[in-house]
Amino acid sequence: MRIIAKRLPPDQLISLLLTMFEALGDPEKNCSRAATVMINCLLQERGGVLQEKVPEIVSVLRSKLQEAQGEHVLPAAQHSVYLLATQHCSAVVSSLLGSPLPLDSHACMLWRALAVEPRLTAQVLGLLLEKMSRDVPFKESRAFLLGRTPDRVATLLPLSATCALFEVMSTSAAGPAVLELYPQLFVALLLRVSCTVGVQLPRNLQAQERRGASPALAARNLEPCSSAVDTLRSMLLRSSSEDVVQRMDLEGGWELLRTSAGHEEGAARLARAMAEHAGPRLPLVLKTLACTHSSVYENQRVTTTAFLAELLNSNVANDLMLLDSLLESLAARQKDTCASVRRLVLRGLANLASGCPDKVRAHGPQLLTAMIGGLDDGDNPHSPVALEAMLGLARLVHLVEAWDLRSGLLHVAIRIRPFFDSEKMEFRTASIRLFGHLNKVCHGDCEDVFLDQVVGGLAPLLLHLQDPQATVASACRFALRMCGPNLACEELSAAFQKHLQEGRALHFGEFLNTTCKHLMHHFPDLLGRLLTTCLFYFKSSWEDVRAAAPLFTGEHHPLPRPHATRQPRLMPPLHRVPGAARRAQAAAAGGPGPAHFGAPDPAEGPGPRGADEGC
């Protein structure tokens, strides 16, 4: 047979091969076995001249596998594909990628045949990565471009390449090649996951899924994002990162990666698992990730930033000398056009406080500059970047150099003040708690300009003790306790410490009476300012805060009680506020900002009420 293979004229070679392929389905098993031997001999000896015929040969092999019944036929076909791939790897990969989706069991076995030898397997994996990244991951329908219902449809080539990668890496023999290409595979598949979240299958494949798969089809989820997640998971298992996979399984990380709402958290959990169980792999992974900050796909930039940000939450960044490169990568994303990326950058920088607290002082100026810049991000009054900046500053202010903080202290205090009355509970909580932390770091060294901000914040903090959201009221307790020492009034500070401990029931009227007595006695010059600020809360959207405002005003200007048989109301309506208070309200030209006059979220309290409606 070898002599025939060597001497056969080229124009007769393909004809003989096609004849032998037909014989694979011969009912006589001996004839079928002889055909497989001849096919493999011809491919081994003369396969080098068959490059142009590879698509035809692969197509015929696939069709004959559907017809042949003998158990020997599939191994023979696998060996034929392997022989062809050793000589024309790119052509074989391209031809197999033409297999219809979802892949049937025979197509899966042909892909697995390419994972027999490490060198060939590495070449195949590299080609599949190139195919997966070459085409756009999805196409946007006209409805999406017109701003109607989002409709992103997966493109076939990257989807086919993802499925093929899963099949190749499901073979144990692929282990060495997967280890060799670990960083490239990990990054490419993570990016593939990120840009397929919410992406739909093409309509023809959706119809097939609804009808139900044929028994001959592989039992795998073809949904684009699930397919990518499964392939990433398979890659980690094949590269001896079982602990990473197990951690993600236990924490539900894979499910989070598949959903739009949970994707960021899924990427963060993957980073935590990698830091804990695959730390030595991270330097090369980060090197490969370095160029992704310029990706044209917003989702990819969000995912990789979430991953990098979470790595700074672990000391592995310092242990593996990755700190500087991580900070560099995040700094390169600070001006990203996507608000989610900018927000995650700030989260990552703040994570340094828990991952490497001893390094915060050295990077203090850079961290504070980024956080303060985040406070001024965009014109959105509810900017998620500003919220992240406040949360980050609260973690960092205790760790930076006092001198570095002092230069931006006043700006921060002024900038966060409008958020005290934000419609969003998260913004009120974060800004008030940060105000408390700023006061805490200033204990014993409070400059006059900052003290002015402390005094200006007293009225909002006292009134928001009655905030309908418990987290906001708790933040006010903390902030007032931290403000006390900076007011240089031991009695007032003691009252704050006594009444505002967490978990202790607060009798607001009694506490407010005590507080106002100390304010009138020790700070008589400030009463007009406190009163003017308080008057702006008479039309607050939150009923309890609105009710507390005249009570606070009345404590500074006691009212003569009218002769009546019934008991006086604890919180008088606006028309019973003293004339001086009403005149001050009419004369006031500014205030804490209009945010608290707007309609709050449904979960936060009732809509606006006029002050003349009573309490």
Side-chain angles (χ1 to χ4, degrees), residues 252-269:
W254 302 120
E255 288 70 23
L256 288 171
L257 275 175
R258 290 178 168 92
T259 64
S260 299
H263 184 77
E264 281 183 19
E265 177 59 25
R269 292 187 185 185

Side-chain angles (χ1 to χ4, degrees), residues 222-351:
L222 195 57
E223 191 271 325
C225 189
S226 292
S227 174
V229 169
D230 291 344
T231 306
L232 176 59
R233 187 178 182 278
S234 174
M235 172 259 160
L236 290 169
L237 285 173
R238 190 56 61 210
S239 58
S240 304
S241 295
E242 295 90 347
D243 290 339
V244 175
V245 174
Q246 186 177 9
R247 175 77 175 271
M248 289 287 284
D249 288 341
L250 291 173
E251 294 186 352
W254 302 120
E255 288 70 23
L256 288 171
L257 275 175
R258 290 178 168 92
T259 64
S260 299
H263 184 77
E264 281 183 19
E265 177 59 25
R269 292 187 185 185
L270 178 59
R272 285 199 294 271
M274 290 287 290
E276 184 173 346
H277 301 293
R281 302 280 181 198
L282 287 174
L284 289 178
V285 168
L286 293 185
K287 186 176 180 180
T288 309
L289 271 175
C291 61
T292 60
H293 73 273
S294 58
S295 170
V296 296
Y297 298 106
E298 186 176 285
N299 285 356
Q300 291 186 346
R301 302 198 306 274
V302 170
T303 301
T304 55
T305 307
F307 184 86
L308 295 173
E310 188 59 31
L311 290 179
L312 281 170
N313 211 13
S314 166
N315 59 8
V316 72
N318 192 40
D319 294 344
L320 297 175
M321 295 183 289
L322 300 175
L323 182 57
D324 289 338
S325 62
L326 280 171
L327 291 175
E328 257 181 56
S329 294
L330 291 177
R333 302 163 190 249
Q334 278 184 261
K335 301 299 182 182
D336 196 279
T337 55
C338 174
S340 293
V341 173
R342 300 195 300 274
R343 170 177 54 81
L344 289 166
V345 166
L346 297 183
R347 181 178 299 177
L349 296 177
N351 281 342

Side-chain angles (χ1 to χ4, degrees), residues 596-612:
H596 64 290
F597 298 130
D601 289 343
E604 298 208 359
R609 289 177 56 191
D612 56 350

Side-chain angles (χ1 to χ4, degrees), residues 1-159:
M1 188 63 211
R2 289 183 180 277
I3 296 175
I4 295 176
K6 289 179 179 180
R7 295 180 179 273
L8 193 68
D11 57 336
Q12 298 178 19
L13 178 60
I14 188 64
S15 298
L16 180 59
L17 271 173
L18 293 176
T19 302
M20 293 300 103
F21 286 141
E22 289 295 329
L24 286 176
D26 196 302
E28 178 59 47
K29 292 186 177 180
N30 287 334
C31 292
S32 179
R33 287 192 179 95
T36 61
V37 172
M38 292 183 68
I39 289 170
N40 289 332
C41 185
L42 288 171
L43 291 176
Q44 189 168 1
E45 294 294 333
R46 301 289 298 278
V49 301
L50 294 173
Q51 182 171 358
E52 294 181 359
K53 299 296 182 180
V54 167
E56 183 180 357
I57 293 172
V58 171
S59 177
V60 171
L61 274 174
R62 284 207 313 264
S63 64
K64 291 305 174 184
L65 281 174
Q66 306 291 337
E67 305 168 3
Q69 302 296 322
E71 295 180 357
H72 65 284
V73 177
L74 179 58
Q78 286 182 295
H79 190 60
S80 297
V81 169
Y82 165 75
L83 289 174
L84 272 177
T86 57
Q87 300 167 81
H88 310 291
C89 186
S90 180
V92 170
V93 167
S94 296
S95 299
L96 286 176
L97 284 174
S99 303
L101 294 176
L103 297 176
D104 60 30
S105 58
H106 295 125
C108 293
M109 294 306 294
L110 292 181
W111 276 115
R112 293 172 190 174
L114 303 183
V116 175
E117 189 267 320
R119 185 175 177 181
L120 175 63
T121 307
Q123 192 176 355
V124 170
L125 292 176
L127 286 168
L128 289 174
L129 287 179
E130 181 187 346
K131 300 287 186 183
M132 190 175 69
S133 306
R134 176 185 296 176
D135 199 1
V136 294
F138 56 81
K139 291 183 179 178
E140 296 173 340
S141 72
R142 185 172 180 80
F144 180 82
L145 294 174
L146 293 176
R148 298 174 187 169
T149 54
D151 189 11
R152 291 181 171 180
V153 179
T155 49
L156 278 177
L157 181 59
L159 183 59

Side-chain angles (χ1 to χ4, degrees), residues 433 470 473-478 481 499-505:
R433 195 162 286 279
S474 174
C476 288
R477 287 182 179 231
F478 168 74
R481 292 200 310 271
H499 292 278
L500 300 178
Q501 291 298 323
E502 288 298 328
R504 173 171 178 164

